[in-house]
């Protein structure tokens, strides 16, 4: 195993220390594995997300102006415990309530909901939304119902913009829910990732084998196939999304997300293919995002996310965001 | 070989088409493999860079406000031909002359200098600077003298800011030269990359083997070693840089660059180690950049670049940049 780490048991805390050092506008709360903004904005709805580590820049990289107020990290691919999440809620609270943005994994649901109850007993108003954008499978290894994957970043962006603009907790939750309803994602993996401390891949794929619909923790997808062209893969991913939700004749935001080790060259080639398919369906791309937004360590592969837009969502998508992982201006 | 491509012969043109589609503020000049800004600013010094493809987001990803005006792509790891570079110069020219920012590889030097002569014969005022920031080796497979690597992105940023602020060609060149003199970089590789169409790695490293000082095309470095801790690797890289140039008691910008498949988690861990070493030498980090800025397809590994700052460089580093690969605000 070749990894640029010191000790597999300390990768999360050392990463978060590095994030704090590299981005002085963020604060690391050691022991809680929480990253929050250094300057709180009084009476703004606080946004908290998080989950297992290994998906960087998600979620600590999305803390900052126009997106999250705090991100809570678990160990690699493991849900953060309630004491950590409660700390994240406390840090995000500035008097107007806190919205939790949870990816749909059983551990995250359980721990975030328990934390919501604890924080409410402390007098903080807390609500939550659950992202389940992955159309690959209906239930999975770690989820009842669909998994939450890269489309979650759209929820951070849109809800973050609404909160920054002074929306109430109910308003921020409502726009987050609308966003979630309008997102569908579909991914594929070409090679596995290796967990620090484990030293061997979590799964194997043959020399010519690709898994369509694999999850961001290596959970099984829909089917194995052989290596195909970018054009064919784009068709498979987009077809699955379009079969699930009606995007025709609409405007969308597209996220062409890399899982960690797919060269940007390949993501742009895939983006070109995706855009061409959408165009043929009279779906207009309003804004696109190409890069590594929600990874699985050094897994190779990609996911496509579509967000159907209306005027409100367009305006919120375009408003300023200034975080390590996403900058919009 | 698992790659998200259609045809190995078309990866560059399909990538550039994808970039144009994803970033409507950029234009792709097909046949020339040039990406330029859609809106030219009259009478601004034009900045052109480029080189072999496979280093994305370098260089097409750095075209935009506050950085380059045009980027010229060769085939993967191959210098662009003069007809392409001349087209880039023409696109970048808006009446105040054009500065070429060349990484020090023999093919690039030859082709960019030839293109400078051709463009000058067409009446465009052209000058150039050569980046040779890699302290690993004095001569290399494709270079006489030191190689140009990730530190080049600092030159794009600083010279771009000066040009955007209305600097003359001589002024932009002078600040680019000062920047180049103040940058040193040092890298390491943990696994090879695979060229599209070749289908096998360009070099091999044993299961526990790492190459210190390897180039971004897999050129030989300084020595092989075994896998060590992030702390030890950071010490090796930073020591080599500090032995070459006096950064003590100064302020610096740091770029912690991933070569393609190194997880962001590991880059932040490395950044934390680098920052601690610098602190111990009384070197203050003014601004840092952690991510994939100059890659080698899916090579794993990283490089560290330091840029010594004065007041002028700090101000130019902080001014606005809005490109797909780097946003500063």
């Amino acid at each position: 195993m070749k990894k640029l780490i010191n000790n597999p048991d300390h990768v999360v805390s050392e990463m978060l220390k590095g994030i704090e050092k590299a981005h002085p506008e963020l604060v690391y709360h050691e022991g809680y594995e929480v990253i929050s903004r250094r300057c709180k904005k009084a009476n703004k709805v606080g946004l908290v997300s998080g989950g297992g580590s290994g998906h960087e820049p998600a979620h600590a990289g999305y803390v900052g102006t126009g997106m999250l107020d705090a991100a809570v990290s678990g160990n690699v691919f493991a849900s953060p415990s309630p004491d950590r999440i409660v700390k994240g809620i406390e840090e995000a609270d500035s008097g107007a309530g806190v919205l939790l943005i949870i990816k749909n994994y059983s551990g995250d649901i359980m721990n975030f909901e328990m934390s919501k109850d604890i924080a409410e007993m402390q007098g903080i108003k807390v609500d939550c939304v659950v992202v389940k954008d992955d159309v690959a499978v209906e239930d999975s290894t770690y989820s009842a119902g669909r998994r939450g994957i890269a489309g979650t970043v759209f929820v951070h962006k849109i809800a973050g913009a609404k909160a920054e603009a002074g929306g109430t907790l109910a308003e921020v939750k409502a726009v987050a829910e609308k966003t979630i309803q309008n997102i569908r994602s579909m991914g594929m993996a070409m090679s596995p990732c290796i967990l620090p401390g484990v030293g061997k891949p979590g799964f194997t794929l043959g020399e010519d084998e690709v898994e369509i619909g694999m999850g961001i923790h290596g959970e099984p997808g829909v089917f194995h196939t052989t290596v195909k062209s970018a054009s064919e893969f784009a068709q498979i991913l987009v077809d699955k999304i379009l079969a699930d939700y009606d995007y025709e004749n609409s405007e969308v935001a597209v996220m062409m997300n890399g899982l960690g080790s797919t060269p940007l060259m390949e993501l742009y080639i895939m983006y070109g293919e995706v855009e061409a398919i959408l165009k043929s369906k009279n779906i207009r791309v309003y804004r696109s995002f190409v890069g590594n937004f929600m990874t699985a360590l050094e897994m190779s592969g990609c996911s496509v996310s579509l967000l159907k837009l209306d005027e409100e969502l367009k305006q919120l998508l375009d408003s300023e965001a200034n975080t390590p992982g996403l900058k919009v201006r």
Side-chain angles (χ1 to χ4, degrees), chain A:
Chain A
M1 181 187 64
K2 293 178 184 177
K3 288 201 172 279
L4 286 169
I5 63 173
N6 292 307
N7 180 332
D9 294 336
H10 303 154
V11 291
V12 174
S13 61
E14 292 187 359
M15 165 183 75
L16 297 176
K17 274 179 204 165
I19 289 177
E20 183 190 52
K21 284 179 175 180
H23 308 286
E25 68 279 15
L26 304 180
V27 184
Y28 167 46
H29 302 274
E30 197 167 353
Y32 294 101
E33 313 316 311
V34 166
I35 289 281
S36 70
R37 301 193 201 183
R38 193 169 291 278
C39 299
K40 277 194 198 187
K41 204 168 167 180
N43 224 30
K44 185 190 88 71
V45 169
L47 289 188
V48 176
S49 192
S53 295
H55 305 300
E56 290 69 31
H59 294 278
Y62 299 123
V63 177
T65 308
M67 294 184 77
L68 303 179
D69 294 275
V72 190
S73 298
N75 292 335
V76 177
F77 293 177
S79 183
S81 55
D83 61 315
R84 295 185 183 185
I85 302 171
V86 170
K87 175 70 174 171
I89 295 171
E90 289 166 356
E91 290 300 325
D93 174 43
S94 69
V98 172
L99 184 71
L100 310 181
I101 300 171
I102 313 170
K103 298 199 302 301
N104 189 39
Y105 297 99
S106 306
D108 284 346
I109 297 287
M110 190 179 72
N111 290 340
F112 275 85
E113 288 190 344
M114 197 182 298
S115 307
K116 174 178 180 293
D117 294 344
I118 296 169
E120 282 176 332
M121 284 189 285
Q122 295 176 8
I124 304 174
K125 208 169 147 194
V126 184
D127 212 334
C128 64
V129 294
V130 178
V131 187
K132 28 182 109 173
D133 55 320
D134 187 351
V135 300
V137 291
E138 291 305 319
D139 293 292
S140 184
T141 319
Y142 310 114
S143 74
R146 290 179 172 185
R147 303 173 296 215
I149 57 170
T152 308
V153 181
F154 282 139
V155 185
H156 297 347
K157 175 69 190 78
I158 300 276
K162 187 72 183 174
E164 210 73 56
T168 64
L169 182 55
E171 288 167 347
V172 174
K173 181 180 175 174
V175 83
E177 291 284 16
K178 179 165 80 172
T179 305
I180 290 168
Q181 280 161 24
N182 285 4
I183 302 173
R184 297 293 185 279
S185 301
M186 180 71 190
M188 55 176 283
M190 306 181 92
S191 72
C193 57
I194 298 171
L195 271 67
V198 174
K200 59 179 206 301
F203 60 92
T204 54
L205 284 168
E207 190 58 34
D208 188 40
E209 208 176 24
V210 170
E211 177 134 349
I212 303 294
M214 176 162 281
I216 54 173
H217 314 92
E219 311 95 299
V222 190
F223 61 93
H224 274 23
T225 183
T226 53
V227 173
K228 303 188 187 310
S229 67
S231 156
E232 288 169 294
F233 280 133
Q235 194 75 55
I236 291 170
L237 299 183
V238 175
D239 277 353
K240 183 89 178 157
I241 290 173
L242 297 185
D244 195 79
Y245 192 71
D246 184 12
Y247 287 95
E248 284 200 35
N249 305 310
S250 67
E251 283 187 291
V252 296
V254 180
M255 180 168 284
M256 185 71 238
N257 174 57
L259 294 180
S261 67
T262 298
L264 200 48
M265 169 182 277
E266 298 174 28
L267 295 179
Y268 275 115
I269 291 173
M270 281 293 287
Y271 177 76
E273 297 296 340
V274 167
E275 206 255 15
I277 298 167
L278 296 178
K279 200 172 179 179
S280 76
K281 306 279 185 186
N282 204 24
I283 301 169
R284 194 178 92 78
V285 179
Y286 177 74
R287 191 164 194 140
S288 66
F289 300 86
V290 181
N292 292 333
F293 297 99
M294 173 121 19
T295 62
L297 295 168
E298 66 280 90
M299 196 184 286
S300 96
C302 68
S303 66
V304 179
S305 300
L306 298 188
L307 165 62
K308 188 174 191 165
L309 296 167
D310 60 16
E311 290 310 310
E312 180 189 29
L313 296 184
K314 283 201 270 189
Q315 185 245 312
L316 293 169
L317 189 69
D318 286 344
S319 68
E320 187 198 345
N322 191 10
T323 71
L326 184 66
K327 289 180 170 63
V328 171
R329 39 178 309 122

